[in-house]
Amino acid sequence: MTQRINTVLFFLMLFATLITPWDSRKWLEFSDTEDYIHQSKIPLTTREFWAPHHSGTFYPRPFTVPLLYKLAGGEPARIVIMQKFIHCLSAWFLVFSLLLLIGTEVFSCLLMIFIYMLMSWWTISGWTNQVLSESISLSLLFCWIASFILAWKRKRWYYWLAHVLITILFSFTRDLWPYLLVFFYLLVSFAAWLQERPLLVPALLMISVAFILFLVQQNTAKTGDRYRLPLINTIAARIISNHEYTAWFKSKGMPCTDSLEIKYRKIDVNVDTDRHKIWDLYYNRNYESLWIWIHDKGKTEYMKFMLTHPAYTLLFKESKQQRQRIFAYDLWYSGEVAGYSKSMQKLFPIFNLWWLCICNFLLLIQFFRRKKLILIFPVILSLVFLMNVFLAYNADALEVERHLFITMVVIQLIVFISLAILGDSLINRSTNTKIS
């Protein structure tokens, strides 16, 4: 019954999403859009589509988003329609899979209603109107979680194959996802070894898949010089303002440090004029030696720096105001809230970080009491996205809000999944006690 309601809600949401108006001028504001469209027009039969080189003002991206844009004909209006469909489909698929975890009808219905409400939040649905990677990346994240649950619970090889295919597409939406994929399957493998041995073999195989994706994606990122812009942003926004950090990088051969200190020592990423100054570094030929250093050594040296400066890596040196950017939502990229999403705008966000911590604590207590893997699954997701916070913040200090708007989204999702699992577990336990 609940799955039939899920299908009805999918069509209702699709209709409401398609008739929601969007501002076609918004996607003209970003050079990223031009990069995605340009890459989508490269022939699939050439290596340059899958692992393109940087050239002039074109900065390559991982292939999934350009691939889907190509399927939409490379036309922004068609791309928006496609993203709306994928968004609604991901909501249906996520609900379909999550219902496999819940046994009681009341919590199944509550979970289903909540997921569709969450998907209507402009922080999620608004990105479908923008020709950028965020909408597809977020939709494929939901599909990845859903396909894992489906393969885990149904235990058929073809579900695992589908999960592998979705994992590949999901991984190549952002260069940070492979790190999280490896971490996720390591945690799942450990949990399976402790409690659910039949899951251990597919989990170990998925570690291999994730590690291969990691190596391939690292190679394509280096080919396309995809580290240049994020590292430039981080150097200008977080390194140059600290003389000790600057001296460390200068000792490692980073050029232009004197010029950078003069221009960017007092930069404020929250001020538009300062952000524009950083963008100048992308194309200013006076910093060509810096680009070359970043391409040849920059990423390796930055990783060494993070390992030797844990206070920097763990964000202890960031102000409370700067760390608050991790929990950004309702960003300006998508324009004014429109359509049926207006009704959800005052409702979300419902939960905060404290809710997540409390739910994880209660789930761990129940896990050690009842020894069921389902009770620790939301905890695993929480750890994965905690890692995402540190990776994304340290990878690009300028685009923290844009890259981490997902934090508040997954907090809402994980907390409600946790509440549904806890409620379902307590009802089942009570029922079993009465029967016995």
Side-chain angles (χ1 to χ4, degrees):
M1 182 63 181
T2 50
Q3 294 293 8
R4 292 178 183 175
I5 296 173
N6 182 25
T7 302
V8 171
L9 290 176
F10 160 73
F11 283 110
L12 289 175
M13 184 183 186
L14 180 61
F15 175 75
T17 302
L18 289 175
I19 65 172
T20 298
W22 71 82
D23 184 356
S24 61
R25 296 167 297 179
K26 291 299 293 181
W27 58 61
L28 300 176
E29 299 176 10
F30 305 99
S31 59
D32 306 42
T33 300
E34 296 178 15
D35 292 333
Y36 286 117
I37 298 296
H38 174 81
Q39 191 169 335
S40 73
K41 294 180 178 178
I42 299 174
L44 290 176
T45 53
T46 66
R47 185 179 184 274
E48 281 301 301
F49 177 85
W50 306 99
H53 291 78
H54 165 252
S55 177
T57 59
F58 167 59
Y59 285 89
R61 313 288 168 161
F63 71 77
T64 296
V65 175
L67 176 62
L68 293 176
Y69 283 8
K70 179 180 282 291
L71 295 177
E75 296 296 328
R78 293 180 184 175
I79 289 169
V80 167
I81 293 172
M82 177 197 66
Q83 289 182 159
K84 289 176 180 290
F85 178 79
I86 294 174
H87 164 69
C88 295
L89 186 63
S90 70
W92 174 87
F93 190 22
L94 184 61
V95 168
F96 177 88
S97 296
L98 286 174
L99 291 179
L100 299 177
L101 303 180
I102 309 298
T104 55
E105 188 172 342
V106 61
F107 282 104
S108 293
C109 291
L110 287 173
L111 183 60
M112 176 168 52
I113 291 169
F114 178 84
I115 296 297
Y116 277 101
M117 290 171 62
L118 177 64
M119 293 297 190
S120 304
W121 186 21
W122 194 248
T123 292
I124 300 175
S125 63
W127 285 106
T128 63
N129 303 316
Q130 187 55 268
V131 185
L132 294 169
S133 66
E134 278 72 15
S135 178
I136 289 174
S137 183
L138 193 56
S139 294
L140 285 175
L141 167 63
F142 297 139
C143 290
W144 171 72
I145 294 172
S147 64
F148 173 79
I149 294 172
L150 186 62
W152 167 30
K153 302 308 288 186
R154 291 288 173 85
K155 299 179 175 62
R156 296 289 188 272
W157 68 268
Y158 42 85
Y159 289 126
W160 283 111
L161 178 59
H163 179 62
V164 168
L165 295 175
I166 290 174
T167 300
I168 293 170
L169 289 174
F170 170 57
S171 177
F172 280 94
T173 59
R174 282 182 59 197
D175 284 324
L176 289 182
W177 290 137
Y179 294 88
L180 300 178
L181 291 172
V182 172
F183 185 50
F184 172 79
Y185 294 117
L186 283 171
L187 291 176
V188 168
S189 297
F190 180 69
W193 178 76
L194 285 177
Q195 200 55 48
E196 195 169 320
R197 291 298 174 90
L199 180 61
L200 184 58
V201 171
L204 291 173
L205 290 174
M206 287 307 303
I207 290 177
S208 302
V209 171
F211 187 67
I212 292 170
L213 287 174
F214 176 84
L215 294 177
V216 172
Q217 203 155 340
Q218 294 296 303
N219 182 263
T220 61
K222 187 172 180 63
T223 299
D225 206 12
R226 295 203 296 262
Y227 300 120
R228 184 198 293 189
L229 300 191
L231 195 46
I232 283 175
N233 291 339
T234 300
I235 289 169
R238 292 184 71 193
I239 301 298
I240 295 301
S241 60
N242 186 301
H243 183 72
E244 179 188 343
Y245 295 167
T246 305
W248 190 94
F249 278 92
K250 187 174 183 178
S251 71
K252 301 300 179 181
M254 187 176 84
C256 307
T257 51
D258 294 338
S259 172
L260 289 169
E261 278 194 296
I262 293 172
K263 194 171 183 179
Y264 298 102
R265 186 176 53 196
K266 296 183 179 180
I267 210 78
D268 184 350
V269 295
N270 297 311
V271 178
D272 282 343
T273 53
D274 284 358
R275 294 172 72 89
H276 293 165
K277 288 179 183 178
I278 294 177
W279 295 342
D280 177 64
L281 283 171
Y282 301 170
Y283 311 107
N284 191 330
R285 286 287 176 184
N286 292 328
Y287 296 98
E288 190 167 0
S289 58
L290 177 64
W291 305 343
I292 295 171
W293 179 84
I294 288 175
H295 179 79
D296 293 341
K297 300 180 179 179
K299 183 194 171 187
T300 302
E301 296 300 337
Y302 184 59
M303 292 183 71
K304 290 178 183 176
F305 173 78
M306 287 194 293
L307 290 172
T308 55
H309 295 75
Y312 170 94
T313 306
L314 297 175
L315 311 182
F316 294 154
K317 297 291 187 178
E318 296 296 285
S319 67
K320 183 178 179 180
Q321 179 187 9
Q322 293 290 15
R323 289 197 298 268
Q324 196 59 35
R325 299 162 69 202
I326 293 167
F327 305 100
Y329 59 92
D330 291 343
L331 302 178
W332 58 272
Y333 295 91
S334 305
E336 293 294 323
V337 61
Y340 73 110
S341 291
K342 289 181 179 179
S343 60
M344 295 296 110
Q345 211 55 19
K346 292 183 179 180
L347 179 62
F348 288 100
I350 300 174
F351 307 112
N352 57 27
L353 183 60
W354 288 109
W355 275 91
L356 183 66
C357 293
I358 292 169
C359 284
N360 280 335
F361 178 70
L362 294 174
L363 285 165
L364 285 170
I365 291 175
Q366 287 296 309
F367 173 74
F368 288 117
R369 284 180 177 176
R370 305 192 65 188
K371 308 298 183 184
K372 290 188 175 182
L373 185 58
I374 185 177
L375 292 164
I376 207 173
F377 180 63
V379 179
I380 291 173
L381 289 178
S382 299
L383 291 173
V384 168
F385 286 101
L386 174 63
M387 182 179 178
N388 181 58
V389 166
F390 292 112
L391 284 175
Y393 198 109
N394 284 300
D396 191 337
L398 187 64
E399 299 283 4
V400 170
E401 294 92 342
R402 179 176 165 184
H403 293 158
L404 283 177
F405 79 94
I406 192 175
T407 305
M408 286 304 288
V409 171
V410 296
I411 285 176
Q412 311 309 301
L413 178 64
I414 294 173
V415 168
F416 209 87
I417 292 173
S418 302
L419 292 174
I421 289 173
L422 285 168
D424 185 66
S425 176
L426 290 173
I427 288 178
N428 285 334
R429 183 177 180 182
S430 175
T431 303
N432 292 337
T433 301
K434 290 177 182 179
I435 292 172
S436 61

